[in-house]
Each structure stands twice: as C-alpha cells, then as structure tokens.
Amino acid sequence: MTAPFKAAAVQLEPHFGEKTRNLDALLALVEEAATSGAKLITTPEMGTTGYCWYDRAEVAPFVETIPGPSTDLFVELARRHDCYIVIGLPEVDQETNLYYNSAALIGPDGVVGVHRKTHPYISEPKWAASGDLGHTVFETKIGRIAMLICMDIHFIETARLAGLGGADVICHISNWLAERTPAPYWISRAYENGCYLIESNRWGLERGVQFSGGSCIIAPDAEILDVVDDGDGIAYGTIDPARARQRLASGEPVMAQRRPELYLELMTNTFSWNPRDFFSLYGHQPIPEGRPARIAVGELAPSADIAENLLSLLELAEGAKTQGAELVVFPALALTGSTDPAAAAIPANHDALQSLKALSDRLNISIVAGFAEKHDDALYSSAVITTPNRPITFCRQIHLTESEQTWAKPGNEFCVLDLSFGRIGIMIGHDAAFPETARILALRGCDLICCPSSIENGFHFGHEGSAVRQPDPIPCGSDPVHWHHYRVRAGENNCYLAFANTRSTASNAHGLSGIFGPDTFAFPRREAIVRDGALAVANIDLSNAGPTYPTNVARRKDLVLMRQPHHYTALIR
C-alpha cells in the first residue's frame, strides 16, 4: 500500500495565445508546489495556450505532440523533485493530424500517460476531435491516478470508470464557468466514488467568457480540504490511497454493492433519435404528452406505529393537495417505520396500503411512499405508488446498505410508470447512491424521478460566497445549500427529481427534502427545499413549444444525448 502524500492544485489565468508566458507562469507555480513537498500537482485545462479558439486554423500554431516541447519542460521539473504533474494542452496526433484537448500525466521518468477529452464542451468541436483513448487509471509509485477534463465530469460514467479502475485520485483539470465553485459536480463525483478529486480550474475573462476559479482538493467524504477562490494560487491537501481504496460512499462499500448485471442499458443511447419518435415507436409504451404540473415532497420521522404514520401521511397529503399538488412523495419506510423494518413488514394487500389508495382516490392525488414489504418468506424495502382510479403499483429497492442486507432481499427491476403529466421513475433509499440508477431511469425516458429516501447527513453543505463576479443571473454570494447531491442527480440526467427524506429521529432535524429542476445551470433555480414545516411544493413543466422535436430540457435530455457509451463497457462487467 502506498503512503499518504501531499497534492497541489494550481490555479492560473492563462493569457490567450501567449504560450511562452503561460508556460513560464505554470513552471513557476508547479515549482513552488513541488518545493513545498507536493508529489502530485495539477494545472488547468488548456493552461499552456488559453481556451476560446475560433477554429482549427487559429489554434494550429499552438498544438504540439505528447511527448513534445512543453511536456519536456515539466519532465525535467518532475525529475528534479521526484513528483508527478498533470498538464493541459492542445495536442496534435502526428499520424492523423487530428487535434485533441488533452491532459498529460508526467512523472520523474517522462510521460506516464495521456487523456484526451472524451466529452467535448460546446466550443471544442470547432477545432478538436473527441478523445479516443478512453478512461485509463495509471499506476504510479505514489498511487493510482485518473485524469478527466472539464465537461467529462458532467457524465456519471467517466468518474465511475475511474473508480472501478481503482483510482485513488481523479485529477480533473478544467475551464469551468457559469456557477460558484467548488462546483457541485466535482464534489458529487468524489463523494459517490469514494475517492479524492484534485481540481485545477482557471480564472479570469477570455473572449467574454467568465471562468469560475475555485481550484481545490476534495476528500472521499466530500470535505473540501483546501480551495483557491479567485486569482492565481495553489490549493494543498493530503491524499491517502488507503482511504480511497475503502471505496466508501456514506459509509457504504458502494463498488461491492453495484448490480452490473442490471446496468446493460448504460451501453445504449435512447436519445440519439428524436425522443418523440423513439419512445412512440411501434406504438409501444409511448411517453405521455407532457404538461405543467405541481408536485410535492413530504418529510417526517416515521414511528414504529403504522397507524400513527398513516395519519401523518394523510395530513401531509391533504396539505399538498391544498397547495395544488397532484403528486406527493414520502420518505423510505414512511409507512412502516425504520426502527425494526423486519418486524413491521406488511404484505401488499395490507389495510394500510388500501387506506393510502383510498386517500389517493379521495384527494385525486398520486402518492409515493416507502414501506417494508413482506412477500411469502422474503422481505423487501419497497415503495407503493397509488394513482387515482388505477391499480396500486409496487417497486422494490435494488441496492441495499449493509444494514438492510441483514433483513431485506434486493429487488431486480427498475420501476417506471406513466402519469397524466409525464413519465416517472422510482429509486428507493440507497438506490440513489448509485449514479447508474437514475441514469437508467433517464434512458427510459423519465421526466421525473421520485426518490423516497432515508439518509442522515453528508450529502449537502453551503458556500460562503465567491469573489468571482459572475454575469447575471448567476449567483456568487453565500448559499446555505450550495451542494446538494440530489440536485446534481437531477441535473446530470436532465430530470426533475423529488427527494423525500426522513427527518432525524434523534433531533427531528430537517432532512433537506426537495424538488430539483432538470438543469443545474439554470438560475434562478427551479426548486423547492424543505426548510420550515414538512412540505415542499413546486411547479414542474414538461410541455413543449413545438410539435416536432422536444423543446423542453427534461424531454430533450441534452446531457443524456451527449453520452459516449462505446467508452463505458467496464460499467457492465
């Protein structure tokens, strides 16, 4: 096992097209970090040249091979200090003359490996090809290192490939923009994969684009070990490979709990064609015509008394209906309680479930609620979905925590159903810790994901505000809920997400239940979070402006469309 080591994330404002100046600035900052004892040092995406190139002809004088003149400079530095350095630059492939947005991992003995950005951002197709080297984890004497570049990390698959490949640390170099940093996507990728993430971002203004800074080092539990807000600087932190190799997310060994046999759909792209055509093909299970709707999440600390819980659900459902909601989502085990789920488990024909169905019919509201299910000799963590004038639907949790494995069996089916306003998917409790779950629901065309949950803490924190001045309406001030892991889940899948969490049974503290919008970069945010009371209610809109191609992001799913499944085979092995 390798020992803990010091790491550094360099932040710099490259001057556009001033390659010599940028290299001198990078060498000085990397030298400073190495002199301070850093053994792994990252620098920003395209740090040698700047980023906002018009086209291939404009960037042509600045591209180079790897190895090449720029990487040679850092090889010499790495040799002197016995360290590893990640450099971002525009690369040319000598055989094809294709250009790539690349990152080079450089060690004391030369170039260790290269990552070519696989998922291009809006500007890069003007000059760069999509990366063709996949997602490699490089074994070094200090640990296992993966590299991702900016937009790559929007996709749950890229960081998951790094985690499955055994990465102790993901070196993410970027030109991130349009929000406060450290960005929620960066934090979630470290958190859900149980590894460290070193982030080198640029700052400053280039061709009218404001970059966000916020270079940092993030621990496997989402703690920000150090951060540079605005300006040139270096963030430092300690990487402990032994900690990363535990692969814990919320204290659970998530890599061992994955269900790859159920993930085959990750290798497909259901949004390659017009989804209005695709999902109505042959008249089989067409998606409902979308429309605006109002939905709610209810939060409570369920007791061991089913009758008491049923009364609480009744009161919250009535409150949601009073506020115009036509769907309300309740936490995991909301009906039967979490004190002793095995003892409280009930069959699917239990009177309490029939009472929920009667309530749904009477109020004309759909209800999603978690309960412990008894079926023959097996127990499950399940959810009931009641819809007015339709049969009850049941869904079983697929991924179980270590504690849940002592009493429950896992389900084997992802749950999708259609309501009058759109298609919904269900993920229960620990299912939401696995990015694969929500991704498969999105691939099946879900507009809204309902998430009955029960998680105590660790999935959110605030931000004190940034000195980086963003253009309106992007906020830069303080935010008590800057990172919310389930807001990221919504945005990365272009789905609305209704997250209904239990309150702490010990302190009755809020569980930060919320309804989150399908675009995390849309400000002001289209969301509602439970902060006072026990309900959050929000409008969602699944309508389209035109009859042909979806104009609604939840129906169009740009991020799902831009996936590159040919790189993802390891996810289903």
Side-chain angles (χ1 to χ4, degrees), residues 391-413:
I392 296 177
T393 300
F394 295 96
C395 178
R396 291 170 177 166
Q397 186 173 321
I398 292 170
H399 304 85
L400 300 178
T401 65
E402 290 183 314
S403 174
E404 289 165 343
Q405 289 173 27
T406 64
W407 66 269
K409 289 183 63 175
N412 293 304
E413 296 288 341

Side-chain angles (χ1 to χ4, degrees), residues 47 59-60 65-66 111 116 124 233 258 331-332 340 395 423-424 551:
V59 76
T65 59
I66 301 174
V111 173
R116 292 170 172 170
E124 281 136 33
R258 294 175 72 250
D340 187 353
C395 178
R423 176 162 292 178
I424 73 167
T551 58

Side-chain angles (χ1 to χ4, degrees), residues 346-348 373-380 396:
I346 58 176
E373 178 192 0
K374 182 177 183 179
H375 180 76
D376 296 332
D377 294 327
L379 302 178
Y380 301 91
R396 291 170 177 166

Side-chain angles (χ1 to χ4, degrees), residues 469-484:
R469 299 295 94 183
Q470 297 282 2
D472 288 336
I474 302 167
C476 53
S478 63
D479 182 355
V481 193
H482 166 69
W483 174 59
H484 192 303

Side-chain angles (χ1 to χ4, degrees), residues 436-475:
E436 296 91 344
T437 308
R439 179 66 96 214
I440 287 169
L441 295 175
L443 286 167
R444 291 189 180 185
C446 291
D447 306 299
L448 166 67
I449 297 174
C450 301
C451 182
S453 189
S454 181
I455 183 169
E456 283 281 339
N457 49 45
F459 62 91
H460 63 88
F461 54 69
H463 195 299
E464 294 180 353
S466 173
V468 177
R469 299 295 94 183
Q470 297 282 2
D472 288 336
I474 302 167

Side-chain angles (χ1 to χ4, degrees), residues 262-385:
L262 302 181
Y263 301 159
L264 299 182
E265 287 165 78
L266 295 177
M267 299 306 299
T268 68
N269 199 338
T270 54
F271 283 80
S272 296
W273 294 91
N274 182 341
R276 294 173 70 91
D277 295 334
F278 178 87
F279 288 104
S280 62
L281 196 62
Y282 316 129
H284 179 64
Q285 297 178 345
I287 290 179
E289 283 296 321
R291 64 168 174 81
R294 192 161 169 82
I295 66 171
V297 292
E299 187 174 283
L300 70 154
S303 73
D305 187 329
I306 292 179
E308 183 180 323
N309 295 333
L310 193 59
L311 181 60
S312 296
L313 299 184
L314 167 65
E315 292 174 350
L316 288 169
E318 288 180 334
K321 184 63 178 180
T322 299
Q323 296 186 56
E326 54 187 290
L327 166 70
V328 59
V329 182
F330 294 116
L333 301 175
L335 184 59
T336 52
S338 56
T339 306
D340 187 353
I346 58 176
N349 61 356
H350 193 273
D351 288 347
L353 297 171
Q354 299 306 315
S355 296
L356 270 186
K357 177 64 171 74
L359 174 65
S360 180
D361 290 341
R362 178 170 65 82
L363 294 179
N364 194 31
I365 189 172
S366 296
I367 298 172
V368 178
F371 74 105
E373 178 192 0
K374 182 177 183 179
H375 180 76
D376 296 332
D377 294 327
L379 302 178
Y380 301 91
S381 176
S382 298
V384 58
I385 305 99

Side-chain angles (χ1 to χ4, degrees), residues 24 53 61 118 140 144 160 171-172 203 265 289 345-346 393 420 482 492 520 551 557:
D24 288 343
W53 298 97
T118 52
T140 74
R144 299 168 187 156
R160 196 54 137 194
C171 296
H172 183 239
W203 68 282
E265 287 165 78
E289 283 296 321
I346 58 176
T393 300
S420 62
H482 166 69
E492 69 198 14
T520 49
T551 58
K557 294 199 185 343

